[in-house]
Amino acid sequence: MKKALAIAAALALPPLAHAQSAVTLYGLIDTGLTYVSNAGGKSEVVAADGIIQPSRFGLRGAEDLGGGTRVIFTLENGFSLNTGADSQPGLMFGRQAFVGIANNKWGSLTFGRQYDFIWDYMTLFSVGSRLGGYGFHPGDYDHLGGSLRINNSMKYSVTPLAGLSLGALYAFGADPASAGNGRVVAAGALYSGGVFSAAFAYNNVHDMTLNPAAQIGTTLGPSFPSGTFVANNMQNVEAAISLTFGPSSTRALFTATTIKHQSASVTMRSYEISEAFQITPALSASAGFSITRMSPSTWHVASAILDYSLSKRTDVYVSTAFQNVTGGANATFLTLPASSNGRNFAARVGIRTLF
């Protein structure tokens, strides 16, 4: 397969003198069945794909320039397996599209549509990294689920010491704002040790389109628009730690999301603890509990997953999630219709394969 792809790349691209290059086709497909106890007021079983991880395919390439320096690029499309539709409507490479320069010592500088450091550094500490869409916090307003992809961005990442990664990002705002995110400033740090790991991430996004009623099951308050609107500013401050002993990894994280629009301001805070345990080389289990507060509402979410690897590329899984909300908000899981009240339960069986 790799040989065939190399031949195809050679036929499609002009010859490059005195350089080594490679282009890789990769992807992931996830699908399954989900039972939900309250989807708009009734229970139902739905065929749902891209839950544990959104389905995607992409091209990743590198050209060796010598001296430890190379040109890199990634073009990645998200899609629905059940319908064939783009996950990011109207975008050919809606998940990622960037090109840049990387050096073994000095790090990488890339330009395009990219993820922030919440995705790069923080998500791996969350139960959602194992459970997928049903394990993330309300509306993914803290972006742990990867819902924030930043247009017109330049991003620098470096590993100055073994185990330590640092990064910074700046994005030029779209004009008009409805065409994409506005100006973005982001930064992050990740330390990965044998036993102890920690991460920090900061985001400040101008002109962020929000639809609170659909995304979190309530409004942001009487000072905010009741429907879809473009928030002047959305800021995320997040931190996480983990302790790993043998097959056990215990993780804790905190996120604070502040949304401002004209003279109004509101803050959503989430606290989460989770455990991942490798039972056998093929079988793993993960579970987590989170509390999210945004006055006057509080979300309690408990979730778990049992995952079995059939091979190095394919696994099957069973997952459950329960959400209880007080303070007037309706329960909402990402990708599922909002509940008609403050409670919802979801159970899923699925299969995932990589290529």
Side-chain angles (χ1 to χ4, degrees):
M1 178 67 175
K2 290 184 178 179
K3 183 177 180 180
L5 289 173
I7 293 172
L11 292 173
L13 298 174
L16 299 170
H18 310 295
Q20 294 180 348
S21 62
V23 177
T24 301
L25 172 67
Y26 67 93
L28 178 152
I29 299 171
D30 167 71
T31 192
L33 298 176
T34 295
Y35 165 80
V36 56
S37 65
N38 189 325
K42 62 179 181 179
S43 64
E44 60 182 18
V45 176
V46 296
D49 63 278
I51 302 302
I52 190 171
Q53 283 184 281
S55 300
R56 83 288 301 261
F57 71 88
L59 294 169
R60 183 183 295 117
E63 178 192 354
D64 187 1
L65 301 180
T69 301
R70 58 200 179 277
V71 176
I72 58 174
F73 76 85
T74 294
L75 302 172
E76 189 174 280
N77 169 272
F79 66 93
S80 167
L81 180 71
N82 288 337
T83 67
D86 288 331
S87 297
Q88 294 79 40
L91 302 179
M92 179 179 292
F93 298 110
R95 288 183 59 84
Q96 301 183 82
F98 65 82
V99 66
I101 298 287
N103 179 274
N104 295 339
K105 180 179 180 180
W106 301 109
S108 64
L109 180 64
T110 51
F111 302 84
R113 178 176 169 88
Q114 305 178 80
Y115 288 107
D116 60 357
F117 298 100
I118 293 175
W119 176 259
D120 290 351
Y121 298 161
M122 294 293 305
T123 296
L124 59 91
F125 290 86
S126 71
V127 70
S129 67
R130 297 289 188 103
L131 190 80
Y134 305 156
F136 292 117
H137 304 148
D140 197 36
Y141 277 13
D142 51 16
H143 306 309
L144 290 167
S147 58
L148 179 62
R149 301 172 180 93
I150 303 172
N151 295 331
N152 313 309
S153 64
M154 56 182 183
K155 180 179 180 181
Y156 177 68
S157 302
V158 66
T159 303
L161 301 170
L164 178 64
S165 298
L166 303 173
L169 178 148
Y170 180 83
F172 303 87
D175 189 12
S178 59
N181 56 265
R183 181 173 59 85
V184 181
V185 176
L190 170 67
Y191 172 74
S192 298
V195 173
F196 175 78
S197 297
F200 171 82
Y202 170 81
N203 259 11
N204 191 293
V205 182
H206 291 262
D207 303 325
M208 187 75 181
T209 301
L210 301 175
N211 184 358
Q215 294 166 336
I216 62 174
T218 185
T219 67
L220 297 181
S223 299
F224 289 85
S226 58
T228 301
F229 71 100
V230 178
N232 298 141
N233 186 266
M234 188 172 189
Q235 176 180 279
N236 303 100
V237 179
E238 308 188 8
I241 60 171
S242 71
L243 294 173
T244 301
F245 298 97
S248 171
S249 179
T250 303
R251 309 159 180 178
L253 66 84
F254 166 78
T255 71
T257 301
T258 300
I259 301 168
K260 296 180 180 179
H261 183 68
Q262 298 177 0
S263 61
S265 178
V266 67
T267 298
M268 174 186 284
R269 296 180 176 88
S270 292
Y271 310 81
E272 180 185 289
I273 186 166
S274 65
E275 170 72 19
F277 193 87
Q278 196 69 39
I279 302 170
T280 71
L283 182 65
S284 65
S286 299
F289 177 76
S290 68
I291 297 175
T292 298
R293 294 191 174 99
M294 186 191 73
S295 182
S297 298
T298 300
W299 291 257
H300 300 82
V301 181
S303 54
I305 185 170
L306 192 65
D307 190 292
Y308 182 77
S309 297
L310 301 175
S311 69
K312 291 182 179 180
R313 297 192 299 118
T314 303
D315 60 313
V316 292
Y317 59 90
V318 178
S319 68
T320 61
F322 174 74
Q323 187 173 134
N324 182 59
V325 191
T326 59
N330 290 341
T332 57
F333 289 118
L334 295 181
T335 78
L336 288 175
S339 169
S340 61
N341 55 37
R343 292 189 175 187
N344 212 350
F345 171 79
R348 176 173 173 81
V349 294
I351 183 170
R352 170 179 53 181
T353 188
L354 292 78
F355 61 88

